[in-house]
């Protein structure tokens, strides 16, 4: 008896023989029942057993006894790869459904041009034969015409590798990768073509990429053609292509970048549309070559007319009144049209529905043009239906525990679906709270819990959260400092040896410099006992020799702190600190060597001498020259007010704070504000020998102004007093000081306020200061600043008289260096001084290089 078989084929028939190839699988399929019957195989199309039958329908099907893989032509695909993509397995039941799934799976791998699966009856089951025609394997990759990048560099840039099967999708992707590389380096005219030829090894192909690099595209100038309503400066301020990276002082050239150009086209169109030019379009951008290397970047603009809003309305809202959806329209009749205002209205309506469970609510603007360039705006609403949250599925977290992600969510299964809470949850998982992930995607999908539910799929992509840093810093306060630091934002103290995944915080830093030595080790558990309560501890050691010319200070101790969120933007803290504070090396007076320095006007022509230790200047009449040719001065030493501070103190302190913070960015805020109210208490009843208390109120407020400028107001008011016990005075390390880079920038560090008989700052018990600052962009990542500071330090507690205030004005530079932080350089000029300060200007400089 001749062997019967069944087969299927997923290759699309082509050419004259397509009709026969199309009929072949159909004929085989029709012949299958008869053939199976002739071999006494079970009828796979017969009705299945009742639901209460113990044996499944699949168990009555024939068993796969063997699977044979055959190839037409060269076998460039591994047989095991084919088997791994098949549901049909030796020893398991055969079904037509599995065969069809295997055909689709094998074709979808992209490795095969054609594939057929044949099932033939054998003793005890069926034999499966897979007849495959593999795509040509890639044996060689060649590049021609490339001079800017060598072939090894281009090979690293593309994802195409030898040994892979080859198809047009992979070749096109490799072509685009090469184009992107050249254009990112300033070659706008580059072209890339590819061809596939027979390789030197039978069955394998050669891919040849031909590159015409063209001339280099360095931007000489940016030109706007067709735009007459706005100045060149305003339009240039909206684009990135014209920005030089001034941080790369070795390469200040602006290169043509197609990605930036596409973004710039959208930015200019939005700028016009926000100003009322609804029809404005960028018709194209042309790199107009000036010479072999330089081009002018020409933006061709169609402005169109300016439109005014005639009226704004809402339709389609059956559940809620218009006044509920949007109490105040950003777009109003009679005002110039603004795309940004219209988007704000749309978001307001969508958020109203989304926060009440209407996940599918959709708002579409309808813009009707009327005569005289008038626009009638209608917000058309499709309300959809109300949903609850079904399952929340999390994927992509390889290191981070799932519980760490779930505890940041503001929604839970069975909650009313709320798009605002979902958006806030996404932000908390992103840069808002955790900052563990490069991307966080929330996708609502249909739920198997029922039509009234929506599941939420959360997919995260993790990034590095640990850092090891070595570096050096310099500031006008600390001078030169070197440091080493180890930190982990996603720490897990129980997960050896990686110590990652539990969302804890760990930091250890050691630094030493000319005026300070520090060690700090910190640990924080953000969810103590499963509650939204952060518990942390710090161990610290600090030596500070920059505080005074007459004494040094050493602090060693530890603290434990609690932080409890009250709302999205509000939290409270409680901190207990135990530390030993030592005031040591108090200047007892005597003869001190100095170095001859420079003359300056304030020395009244008598000359200036500098103490090499303190860098303090002294007039000539306080200095004498000895027989050995060196210069000395007679020092009376520290004043009694400072001398009495010498000694060791044990401070046991309890501090509490309430903080509201809705700034949009912690490092470079452009809007929002922060308010902090803090009080602390040190006392013998806590086991220490310092009896003081303090009260502090501080605030910051930021406004984003036109042209990417920012105006800010910052201020602080403090007082400290004795808290009974044996204390007769507030120790100097608890007093208030002003001056320097952090507040009054026209004065030396800590130099504003009461001074002793030597003119040395001794601090006060009450202080307040206020700063106004306006920053503006200069170049990419470089901003200018103008500022005004004012403040006072008074000797007594709760004394807030402004009779001895100091004030300055000045200007500065802000440079944001990625992964390092901001650099600040300010020059402050005193405009109002007390009797203890002069009116000369001061530079205040701080930076923090890491390498």
């Amino acid at each position: 008896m001749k062997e019967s078989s069944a087969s299927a084929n997923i290759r699309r028939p082509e050419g004259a023989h397509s009709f026969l190839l199309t009929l072949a699988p159909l004929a085989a399929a029709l012949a299958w029942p008869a053939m199976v019957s002739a071999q006494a195989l079970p009828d796979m199309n017969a009705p299945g057993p009742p639901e209460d039958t113990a044996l499944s329908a699949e168990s009555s099907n024939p068993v796969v006894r063997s699977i044979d893989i055959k190839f037409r032509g060269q076998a460039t695909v591994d047989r095991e790869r084919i088997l791994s993509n098949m549901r049909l397995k030796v020893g398991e039941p055969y079904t037509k459904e599995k065969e069809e799934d295997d055909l689709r799976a094998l074709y979808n791998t992209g490795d095969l041009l054609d594939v057929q699966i044949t099932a033939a009856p054998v003793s005890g089951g069926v034999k499966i034969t897979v007849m495959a025609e593999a795509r040509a394997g890639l044996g060689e990759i060649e590049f021609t015409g490339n001079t800017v990048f060598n072939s090894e560099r281009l090979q690293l840039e593309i994802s195409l590798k030898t040994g892979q099967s080859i198809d047009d999708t992979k070749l096109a992707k490799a072509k685009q990768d090469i184009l992107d590389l050249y254009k990112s380096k300033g070659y706008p005219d580059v072209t890339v073509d590819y061809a596939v030829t027979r390789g030197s090894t039978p069955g394998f192909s050669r891919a040849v990429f031909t590159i015409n690099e063209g001339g280099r595209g360095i931007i000489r100038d940016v030109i706007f053609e067709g735009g007459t309503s706005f100045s060149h400066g305003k339009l240039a301020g909206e684009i990135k292509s014209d920005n030089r990276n001034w941080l790369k002082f070795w390469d200040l050239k602006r290169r043509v970048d197609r990605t930036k150009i596409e973004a710039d086209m959208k930015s200019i169109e939005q700028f016009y549309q926000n100003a009322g030019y609804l029809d404005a379009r960028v018709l194209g951008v042309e790199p107009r070559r000036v010479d072999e290397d330089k081009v002018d970047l020409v933006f061709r603009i169609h402005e169109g007319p300016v439109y005014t809003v005639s009226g704004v309305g809402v339709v389609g809202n059956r559940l809620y009144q218009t006044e509920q959806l949007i109490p105040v329209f950003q777009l109003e009749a009679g005002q110039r049209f603004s795309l940004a205002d219209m988007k704000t209205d749309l978001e307001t309506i969508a958020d109203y529905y989304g926060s009440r469970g209407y996940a599918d609510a959709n708002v579409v603007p309808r813009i009707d043009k009327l005569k005289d360039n008038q626009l009638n705006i209608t917000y058309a609403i499709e309300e959809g239906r109300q949903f609850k949250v079904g399952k929340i599925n999390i994927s992509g977290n390889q290191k981070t525990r799932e519980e760490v992600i779930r505890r940041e969510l503001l929604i839970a299964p069975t909650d009313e679906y709320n798009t605002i809470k979902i958006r806030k949850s996404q932000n908390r998982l992103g840069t808002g709270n955790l900052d563990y992930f490069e991307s966080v995607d929330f996708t609502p999908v249909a739920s198997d819990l029922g039509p009234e539910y929506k599941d939420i799929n959360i997919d995260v992509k993790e990034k590095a959260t640990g850092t090891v840093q070595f570096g050096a810093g310099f500031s006008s306060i600390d001078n030169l400092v070197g440091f080493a630091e180890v930190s982990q934002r996603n720490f897990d103290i129980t997960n050896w040896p990686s110590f990652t995944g539990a969302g804890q915080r760990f930091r250890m830093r050691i630094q030493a410099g000319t005026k300070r030595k520090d060690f700090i080790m910190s640990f924080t558990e953000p969810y103590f006992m499963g509650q939204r309560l952060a518990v942390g501890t710090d161990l610290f050691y600090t030596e500070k020799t920059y505080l005074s010319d007459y004494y040094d200070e050493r602090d060693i101790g530890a603290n434990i702190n609690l932080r409890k969120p009250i709302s999205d933007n509000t939290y409270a803290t409680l901190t207990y600190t135990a530390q030993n504070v030592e005031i040591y090396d108090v200047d007892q007076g005597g003869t001190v060597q100095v170095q001859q320095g420079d003359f300056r006007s304030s020395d009244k022509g008598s000359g200036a001498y500098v103490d090499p230790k303190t860098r303090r200047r002294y007039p000539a009449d306080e200095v004498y020259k000895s027989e050995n040719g060196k210069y000395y001065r007679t020092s009376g030493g520290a004043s009694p007010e400072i001398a009495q501070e010498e000694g060791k103190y044990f401070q046991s302190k309890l501090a509490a704070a309430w903080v509201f913070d809705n700034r949009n960015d912690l490092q470079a805020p452009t809007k929002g504000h922060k308010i902090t109210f803090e009080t602390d208490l040190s006392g013998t009843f806590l086991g220490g020998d310092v009896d003081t208390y303090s009260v502090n109120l501080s605030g910051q407020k930021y406004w984003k102004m036109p042209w990417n400028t920012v105006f800010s107001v910052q201020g602080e008011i403090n007082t400290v007093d004795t808290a009974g016990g044996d204390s007769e005075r507030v120790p100097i390390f608890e007093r208030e000081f002003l001056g320097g880079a952090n507040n009054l920038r026209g004065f030396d560090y800590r130099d504003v306020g009461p001074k002793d008989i030597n003119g040395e700052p001794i601090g006060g018990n009450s202080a307040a200061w206020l700063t106004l600052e306006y920053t503006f962009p200069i170049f990419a990542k470089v901003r200018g600043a103008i500022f005004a500071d004012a403040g006072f330090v008074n000797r007594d507690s709760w004394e807030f008289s402004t009779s001895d205030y100091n004030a300055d004005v000045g200007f500065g530079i802000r440079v944001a260096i990625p992964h390092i932080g901001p650099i600040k350089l300010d020059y402050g000029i005193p405009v109002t001084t007390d009797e203890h300060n002069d009116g000369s200007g001061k530079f205040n400089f701080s930076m923090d290089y890491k390498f």
Side-chain angles (χ1 to χ4, degrees), residues 166-379:
I166 188 170
D167 60 32
D168 280 340
T169 301
K170 294 176 182 177
L171 290 166
K173 175 65 167 58
K175 171 184 173 179
Q176 190 60 47
D177 290 341
I178 297 171
L179 286 170
D180 290 344
L181 175 64
Y182 270 92
K183 289 179 179 180
S184 70
K185 298 302 181 182
Y187 290 83
D189 302 326
V190 63
T191 60
V192 178
D193 295 305
Y194 62 82
V196 179
T197 62
R198 185 181 301 276
S200 56
T201 303
F204 288 87
S205 299
R206 176 190 293 113
V208 181
F209 291 89
T210 302
I211 301 167
N212 180 2
E213 295 175 332
R216 200 175 191 187
I218 304 301
I219 300 174
R220 185 190 69 168
D221 196 6
V222 175
I223 300 171
F224 301 97
E225 293 183 350
T228 59
S229 299
F230 298 100
S231 67
H232 179 280
K234 285 187 177 181
L235 294 178
E238 298 298 318
I239 67 175
K240 303 296 184 184
S241 296
D242 194 33
N243 288 337
R244 307 184 189 195
N245 189 346
W246 289 88
L247 300 181
K248 294 182 178 180
F249 55 86
W250 60 91
D251 186 4
L252 297 179
K253 297 174 181 177
R254 301 166 291 177
R255 296 185 174 89
V256 174
D257 186 323
R258 286 291 174 184
T259 303
K260 285 185 178 181
I261 289 175
E262 291 174 3
D264 290 342
M265 293 172 69
K266 294 179 182 178
S267 295
I268 292 176
E269 288 179 355
Q270 289 180 1
F271 174 77
Y272 270 96
Q273 290 163 2
N274 289 341
Y277 295 82
L278 177 63
D279 301 332
R281 297 289 182 272
V282 177
L283 303 178
V285 181
E286 175 191 353
R288 188 176 294 168
R289 189 160 294 284
V290 178
D291 55 33
E292 183 179 351
D293 286 335
K294 295 183 177 63
V295 297
D296 286 342
L297 206 57
V298 182
F299 288 77
R300 292 183 289 108
I301 300 171
H302 168 72
E303 288 184 340
V306 179
Y307 287 94
T308 303
V309 177
S310 173
V312 182
V314 178
V315 297
N317 51 315
R318 301 183 306 276
L319 298 170
Y320 304 106
Q321 297 295 321
T322 300
E323 294 75 16
Q324 294 175 278
L325 296 175
I326 184 163
V328 179
F329 286 101
Q330 295 296 312
L331 279 183
E332 295 181 350
Q335 74 178 43
R336 181 179 287 197
F337 172 79
S338 168
L339 180 65
D341 288 346
M342 187 180 75
K343 287 181 178 179
T344 300
D345 287 344
L346 294 173
E347 291 171 359
T348 300
I349 297 172
D351 284 346
Y352 191 93
Y353 277 94
S355 64
R356 289 159 176 79
Y358 292 87
D360 294 336
N362 189 32
V363 189
V364 179
R366 188 170 65 229
I367 303 176
D368 296 317
K369 294 182 179 179
L370 309 177
K371 62 180 181 180
D372 299 326
N373 297 328
Q374 297 284 311
L375 298 177
N376 188 68
I377 311 297
T378 304
Y379 300 132

Side-chain angles (χ1 to χ4, degrees), residues 132 182 236 355 468 584 610 693 754 814:
Y182 270 92
S355 64
V468 178
Y584 67 102
V610 182
Y693 73 92
R814 312 284 181 264

Side-chain angles (χ1 to χ4, degrees), residues 613-640:
K613 178 181 178 183
T614 66
R615 310 307 301 166
R616 185 169 179 175
R617 292 173 176 268
Y618 296 91
D621 56 6
E622 296 183 15
V623 177
Y624 67 92
K625 186 175 181 181
S626 69
E627 294 180 356
N628 60 12
K630 295 182 179 179
Y631 295 89
Y632 295 87
R633 68 178 177 86
T634 301
S635 169
S639 67

Side-chain angles (χ1 to χ4, degrees), residues 375-666:
L375 298 177
N376 188 68
I377 311 297
T378 304
Y379 300 132
I381 302 173
E382 297 176 6
E383 295 178 323
R385 62 177 300 169
Q386 202 169 25
F387 292 93
K388 292 183 178 180
V389 177
K391 301 174 185 177
I392 299 177
N393 307 307
I394 298 173
S395 62
N397 51 314
Q398 302 298 317
K399 297 181 294 184
T400 306
R401 296 183 188 178
E402 188 169 305
E403 66 190 60
V404 173
I405 298 175
R406 289 191 180 275
R407 70 194 185 191
E408 296 295 332
L409 302 179
L410 300 176
I411 53 171
T414 72
D415 285 354
E416 187 177 76
Y417 195 94
N418 189 314
T419 54
I420 293 179
K421 289 185 176 180
I422 289 174
R423 189 162 60 244
K424 288 182 178 180
S425 298
Q426 187 170 7
N427 180 63
R428 290 174 65 162
L429 291 178
T431 58
N433 277 27
L434 298 187
D435 195 23
Y436 301 163
F437 310 112
E438 288 184 11
S439 61
V440 179
D441 296 318
F442 279 56
T443 306
V445 296
S447 175
D448 56 14
L449 297 178
E452 71 274 20
Y453 289 92
K454 273 194 178 293
D455 292 347
I456 300 175
N457 293 338
I458 302 175
D459 183 59
V460 300
K461 183 179 180 181
E462 292 182 313
K463 65 180 180 181
T465 53
T467 60
V468 178
Q469 299 175 341
F470 302 90
F474 179 85
S475 77
S476 53
I477 297 173
D478 302 330
N479 282 4
L480 184 64
V481 176
F483 70 88
E485 179 174 310
V486 178
S487 64
Q488 174 57 258
R489 300 192 308 276
N490 190 10
F491 189 67
D492 186 348
I493 197 171
T494 65
N495 186 20
W496 188 91
S498 67
F499 294 107
T500 58
Q504 299 159 351
R505 305 283 200 273
F506 175 80
R507 175 175 176 254
M508 183 170 67
R509 181 182 179 97
I510 301 173
Q511 66 181 24
T514 56
K515 290 192 174 184
R516 69 182 304 155
K517 296 177 183 177
D518 298 272
F519 168 81
I520 184 169
M521 184 167 63
S522 303
F523 172 82
T524 302
E525 168 55 68
Y527 274 77
F528 184 65
M529 302 293 288
Q531 304 296 315
R532 288 200 69 196
L533 175 66
V535 178
T537 183
D538 302 317
L539 302 176
F540 57 86
Y541 172 88
T542 303
E543 286 187 11
K544 294 174 277 192
T545 62
Y546 57 84
L547 298 177
S548 172
D549 292 341
Y550 291 91
Y551 71 90
D552 297 329
E553 181 181 326
R554 180 185 295 117
D555 304 333
I556 181 170
N559 68 48
I560 183 168
N561 52 81
L562 309 177
R563 172 172 164 157
K564 175 65 178 176
I566 300 173
S567 66
D568 288 347
N569 303 113
T570 308
Y571 61 90
T573 65
L574 183 66
T575 305
Y576 171 73
T577 302
Q579 64 175 347
N580 281 307
V581 180
E582 182 180 3
I583 305 297
Y584 67 102
D585 276 358
V586 176
D587 188 353
Q588 300 299 326
T591 301
V592 179
Q593 183 178 345
V594 296
Q595 297 173 343
Q596 189 172 15
D598 300 325
F599 289 86
R600 66 175 186 171
S601 60
S602 61
D603 295 316
K604 298 179 180 179
S606 61
Y609 295 85
V610 182
D611 187 322
K613 178 181 178 183
T614 66
R615 310 307 301 166
R616 185 169 179 175
R617 292 173 176 268
Y618 296 91
D621 56 6
E622 296 183 15
V623 177
Y624 67 92
K625 186 175 181 181
S626 69
E627 294 180 356
N628 60 12
K630 295 182 179 179
Y631 295 89
Y632 295 87
R633 68 178 177 86
T634 301
S635 169
S639 67
E641 290 176 288
I642 289 181
Q644 67 179 338
E645 301 293 332
E646 185 174 18
K648 295 182 179 180
Y649 305 78
F650 177 66
Q651 184 177 30
S652 181
K653 179 166 66 175
L654 194 62
W658 172 91
V659 181
F660 177 86
D661 187 356
N662 68 353
R663 294 171 299 167
N664 63 332
D665 189 279
L666 299 183

